Amino acid sequence: MKSDFSKKPETLENLRDRMSGLSPAKRALLEKRLRGEFADNSKSNVIPRRPDQEVMPLSFAQERFWFLNQLEPGNPAYNRPLAICLTGSLNVPALEQSLSEILRRHDVLRATFFTVEGQPVQVINPAEPLKLLVVDLSEVLPTERESQIKGLTTEEAKRPFDLTQGPLLRATLLRQDKKEHVLLLVTHHIMFDGWSANVLIREIAALYEAFSTGSSSPLPKLPIQYADFAHWQRQFIAGKVVETQLSYWQQQLDGSPPVLGLPTDHPRPPVQTFRGAT
């Protein structure tokens, strides 16, 4: 690593010259920094366990999906399907036990969503064993089996969720023969995203390896749950914090055009079909 010792040290005069070129909002922010008003906010950034209460708020991301579901209840556009090919001898009871442990381990997978006094809330339901639905395709001709798998996968991916009824995780095992299976997992985006898929696959693999040999779960206890984050986020983004954020962006966006006139190749239909591709 190279160091530039020829650079002149910052002086008060230089600092004032640089500050003069800042916008009023950035200058005010820098002055607060220099006064030490943001000296230590580490405690506010530590996410504690949520209070012990029956209903909990949604995170801002969850609230967006809840709102979209209110507009079009049962719309499967925000279903998150996942198909995992399994090769080799499969211990179905161990796989079912692994999925049940995943449900017990992650509160958000047991959440259901309601409206209380006009506000969306989530309820974390007690953990119950997950029943793995097994569909046997071993009697189907190999030439027809692939189309059957595609059809069942599409059908399951499009089956809507009722966000008030759990669990919002469906698991189906398609058996092609003794050593070829496809595990279909479908969740809703209000509780699952692309990053979650990687976590889910890793944890299923670790749990299955342990349970298939009669061992206990090797996964450490989670320090917090997603509902803890949602509660912390609502508490943290409030009062002066949100006022400061809103004030900053209102100044940054002042004078912007009210409509972003991006050209489109096709007009939006009166009713969305969600038949988009790429």
Side-chain angles (χ1 to χ4, degrees):
M1 180 171 60
K2 291 175 129 183
S3 297
D4 185 5
F5 291 105
S6 63
K7 185 176 180 180
K8 294 182 179 179
E10 186 76 88
T11 65
L12 184 59
E13 184 177 355
N14 291 339
L15 182 60
R16 285 172 177 167
D17 290 340
R18 290 171 59 188
M19 288 181 63
S20 64
L22 297 176
S23 67
K26 289 183 178 179
R27 191 182 305 121
L29 186 61
L30 178 58
E31 289 172 354
K32 286 185 177 181
R33 291 277 185 186
L34 295 175
R35 289 197 300 267
E37 294 185 16
F38 302 132
D40 183 13
N41 63 352
S42 57
K43 291 184 179 179
S44 62
N45 289 331
V46 175
I47 302 177
R49 295 302 299 263
R50 64 188 184 273
D52 186 15
Q53 57 191 56
E54 185 177 357
V55 298
M56 298 298 300
L58 276 60
S59 70
F60 294 119
Q62 285 179 313
E63 189 170 0
R64 289 195 293 271
F65 291 112
W66 173 86
F67 175 76
L68 292 169
N69 189 73
Q70 300 302 302
L71 289 178
E72 294 189 77
N75 182 356
Y78 293 100
N79 286 7
R80 298 288 302 189
L82 184 65
I84 306 171
C85 295
L86 306 174
T87 301
S89 299
L90 183 65
N91 186 333
V92 176
L95 178 60
E96 192 172 57
Q97 184 183 2
S98 302
L99 294 172
S100 296
E101 173 61 16
I102 292 289
L103 270 181
R104 185 207 64 77
R105 177 175 166 80
H106 295 279
D107 287 3
V108 69
L109 297 178
R110 294 183 277 111
T112 46
F113 302 87
F114 304 90
T115 303
V116 176
E117 297 180 353
Q119 296 297 319
V121 297
Q122 57 182 318
V123 175
I124 308 300
N125 299 281
E128 296 182 358
L130 182 141
K131 182 61 178 175
L132 180 62
L133 176 64
V134 179
V135 179
D136 192 351
L137 301 175
S138 59
E139 300 298 325
V140 178
L141 293 175
T143 54
E144 301 175 3
R145 195 177 295 157
E146 184 176 351
S147 62
Q148 283 243 22
I149 292 175
K150 288 182 178 180
L152 290 170
T153 301
T154 302
E155 180 182 342
E156 186 62 15
K158 290 184 175 181
R159 188 153 64 94
F161 282 105
D162 179 352
L163 299 186
T164 66
Q165 301 293 324
L168 301 180
L169 167 64
R170 297 195 297 260
T172 305
L173 184 67
L174 306 180
R175 176 183 289 135
Q176 302 180 67
D177 54 46
K178 290 183 178 180
K179 294 190 176 183
E180 295 290 338
H181 298 78
V182 177
L183 176 62
L184 302 179
L185 301 173
V186 185
T187 60
H188 194 278
H189 210 344
I190 197 171
M191 45 176 270
F192 198 86
D193 58 12
W195 183 270
S196 305
N198 295 324
V199 176
L200 179 64
I201 292 173
R202 288 199 307 267
E203 292 196 353
I204 289 176
L207 291 169
Y208 176 81
E209 183 177 359
F211 293 157
S212 60
T213 59
S215 303
S216 57
S217 170
L219 301 178
K221 183 178 179 181
L222 295 173
I224 61 170
Q225 297 283 344
Y226 189 79
D228 299 325
F229 163 75
H231 181 266
W232 169 85
Q233 187 186 50
R234 291 287 177 175
Q235 299 297 314
F236 181 70
I237 307 297
K240 290 185 177 180
V241 174
V242 70
E243 290 175 6
T244 301
Q245 294 284 337
L246 284 174
S247 175
Y248 172 80
W249 285 109
Q250 284 170 349
Q251 292 183 49
Q252 294 300 307
L253 300 175
D254 185 40
S256 301
V259 177
L260 187 60
L262 294 176
T264 57
D265 53 352
H266 296 284
R268 176 171 173 165
V271 178
Q272 292 191 71
T273 62
F274 297 96
R275 290 198 295 264
T278 300

